[in-house]
C-alpha cells in the first residue's frame, strides 16, 4: 500500500541541504505555508535558517535547514511523520476504507495510517499492538522523535503508571517509511484538559497525529478520527460485530467529553438523531 495523491491537498517540500523530504498535506483550513529556500552561499555549518509555516488554525511548525521540521510548542513531535500520517488517514477516508468493513480490517488500516505494525502476538512492552485502538484509552496516534521514545512518566500524567516505559515497543512496532521518528498508540486519559495532560503531550512533549473517538449515538458504533486541534480527519462505521466492548467505547467518549476532541463526535451524533 503506498501514498495516493489527494485532490485539494498541498504538499510542502522541505529542502535539507541536498535531501528532499516530502511532508505535510493539509486541506482547506490551512492558514499559511512558507517553503524554505536553501541556505545561502555564506551560511556556515553552525548557522540555521528558521522558517515558520502553519498547517492548521492554531498549529505552526518551524523548519530548520539543519534538521527536520520541528514544533516549537511540542518539540518532541516528529512533525513530518505526523503530517504524513494525517495524509494517509485522509486518503483512506476518501477511498471509504473506514466504512462497511470489519473492525479488524479498519483497525489495521488505522495502524498503517499512523505508521504502526499490527503485532497482536508480540510480547507486551516489546512491540505488542493488539491493544491499540481496541480499548477506551489507547486511542492517540502519537508520532515522536527517536530521542523521545525512552521518556518516562514522572507522575505528571495522572492515572498512568510511574515510568510507563514504551521505547522498546515503539522501535519494534514503528513503520520506518512514514518518516523520521516512531509511532505509538498512547493513552488518552487527561486529554479533556486544556492544554491536554495526557501521555503524548506530557510524557513525550508531542502532539497527536490523530485520536479515535467513538460517537455517542445509541450504539456507539461509529467513530471519528480528529487531529490535535480537534479537526475532523475522517469518520468510520465498521460492520456490526467484532467491535471493542460497548463499555470500552462508551468510556472512550467519556474521557474526551467536554473537550475539543469531542466536538465532531457530538455533531455527528446530533445529526444522526435529526435524521
Amino acid at each position: 500500500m503506498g501514498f495516493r495523491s489527494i485532490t485539494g491537498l498541498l504538499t510542502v517540500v522541505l529542502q535539507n541541504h541536498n535531501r528532499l523530504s516530502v511532508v505535510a498535506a493539509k486541506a482547506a483550513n490551512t492558514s499559511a505555508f512558507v517553503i524554505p529556500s536553501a541556505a545561502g552561499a555564506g551560511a556556515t555549518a553552525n548557522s540555521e535558517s528558521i522558517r515558520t509555516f502553519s498547517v492548521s488554525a492554531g498549529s505552526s511548525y518551524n523548519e530548520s535547514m539543519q534538521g527536520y521540521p520541528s514544533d516549537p510548542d511540542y518539540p518532541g513531535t516528529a512533525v513530518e511523520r505526523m503530517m504524513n500520517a494525517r495524509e494517509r488517514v485522509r486518503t483512506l477516508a476518501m477511498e471509504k476504507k473506514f466504512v462497511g468493513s470489519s473492525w479488524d480490517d479498519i483497525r489495521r488500516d488505522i495502524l498503517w495510517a499512523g505508521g504502526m505494525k499490527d503485532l497482536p502476538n508480540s510480547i507486551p512492552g516489546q512491540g505488542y499492538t493488539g491493544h491499540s485502538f481496541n480499548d477506551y484509552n489507547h486511542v492517540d496516534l502519537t508520532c515522536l522523535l527517536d530521542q523521545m521514545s525512552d521518556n518516562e512518566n514522572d507522575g505528571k500524567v495522572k492515572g498512568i503508571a510511574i515510568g510507563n516505559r514504551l521505547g522498546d515497543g515503539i522501535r519494534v512496532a514503528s513503520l520506518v517509511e512514514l518518516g523520521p521518528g516512531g509511532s505509538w498508540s498512547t493513552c488518552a486519559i487527561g486529554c479533556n484538559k486544556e492544554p491536554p495532560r495526557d501521555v503524548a503531550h506530557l510524557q513525550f512533549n508531542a502532539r497527536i497525529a490523530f485520536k479515535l473517538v467513538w460517537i455517542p449515538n445509541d450504539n456507539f458504533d461509529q467513530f471519528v478520527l480528529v487531529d490535535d486541534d480537534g479537526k475532523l480527519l475522517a469518520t468510520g462505521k465498521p460492520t456490526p460485530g467484532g467491535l471493542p466492548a460497548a463499555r470500552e467505547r462508551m468510556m472512550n467518549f467519556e474521557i474526551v467529553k467536554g473537550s475539543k476532541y469531542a466536538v465532531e463526535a457530538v455533531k455527528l451524533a446530533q445529526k444522526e438523531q435529526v435524521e
Side-chain angles (χ1 to χ4, degrees), residues 44-68:
T44 66
N46 293 323
S47 66
E48 289 191 9
S49 175
I50 303 287
R51 307 298 171 89
T52 299
F53 57 99
S54 296
V55 293
S56 67
S59 298
S60 63
Y61 306 98
N62 291 335
E63 197 279 330
S64 164
M65 296 309 295
Q66 291 185 330
Y68 300 113

Side-chain angles (χ1 to χ4, degrees), residues 3-61:
F3 284 106
R4 298 95 166 168
S5 59
I6 308 174
T7 303
L9 294 179
L10 176 64
T11 301
V12 178
V13 179
L14 301 178
Q15 185 173 13
N16 177 14
H17 299 293
N18 295 323
R19 177 182 176 274
L20 290 180
S21 177
V22 179
V23 300
K26 194 68 180 174
N29 63 345
T30 300
S31 52
F33 286 86
V34 175
I35 300 176
S37 57
T44 66
N46 293 323
S47 66
E48 289 191 9
S49 175
I50 303 287
R51 307 298 171 89
T52 299
F53 57 99
S54 296
V55 293
S56 67
S59 298
S60 63
Y61 306 98

Side-chain angles (χ1 to χ4, degrees), residues 82-93:
M82 176 183 73
M83 299 308 295
N84 287 340
R86 292 175 184 173
E87 182 182 355
R88 281 185 170 187
V89 168
R90 295 188 193 97
T91 302
L92 293 172

Side-chain angles (χ1 to χ4, degrees), residues 164-186:
N164 193 34
R165 298 176 181 176
L166 301 174
D168 290 342
I170 293 171
R171 284 183 281 273
V172 171
S174 295
L175 297 171
V176 297
E177 70 268 19
L178 193 64
S183 298
W184 195 248
S185 55
T186 56

Side-chain angles (χ1 to χ4, degrees), residues 108-137:
R108 278 190 286 269
D109 279 338
I110 292 172
L111 288 171
W112 175 82
M116 290 183 66
K117 302 172 186 176
D118 181 29
L119 300 175
N121 298 316
S122 293
I123 299 172
Q126 297 181 31
Y128 174 75
T129 59
H131 64 306
S132 300
F133 303 101
N134 255 339
D135 62 16
Y136 77 96
N137 192 23

Side-chain angles (χ1 to χ4, degrees), residues 118-220:
D118 181 29
L119 300 175
N121 298 316
S122 293
I123 299 172
Q126 297 181 31
Y128 174 75
T129 59
H131 64 306
S132 300
F133 303 101
N134 255 339
D135 62 16
Y136 77 96
N137 192 23
H138 295 90
V139 294
D140 284 353
L141 195 289
T142 303
C143 295
L144 56 149
L145 297 176
D146 288 330
Q147 60 267 33
M148 307 299 287
S149 296
D150 291 309
N151 280 18
E152 298 183 10
N153 176 31
D154 59 5
K156 291 180 181 177
V157 186
K158 305 304 180 185
I160 301 298
I162 299 295
N164 193 34
R165 298 176 181 176
L166 301 174
D168 290 342
I170 293 171
R171 284 183 281 273
V172 171
S174 295
L175 297 171
V176 297
E177 70 268 19
L178 193 64
S183 298
W184 195 248
S185 55
T186 56
C187 295
I189 288 177
C191 71
N192 59 334
K193 309 295 184 183
E194 189 57 43
R197 298 189 61 79
D198 50 35
V199 168
H201 294 87
L202 291 185
Q203 181 172 335
F204 294 119
N205 205 10
R207 296 184 191 275
I208 60 169
F210 56 82
K211 181 191 300 289
L212 184 147
V213 181
W214 289 97
I215 295 172
N217 57 14
D218 290 342
N219 298 315
F220 286 82

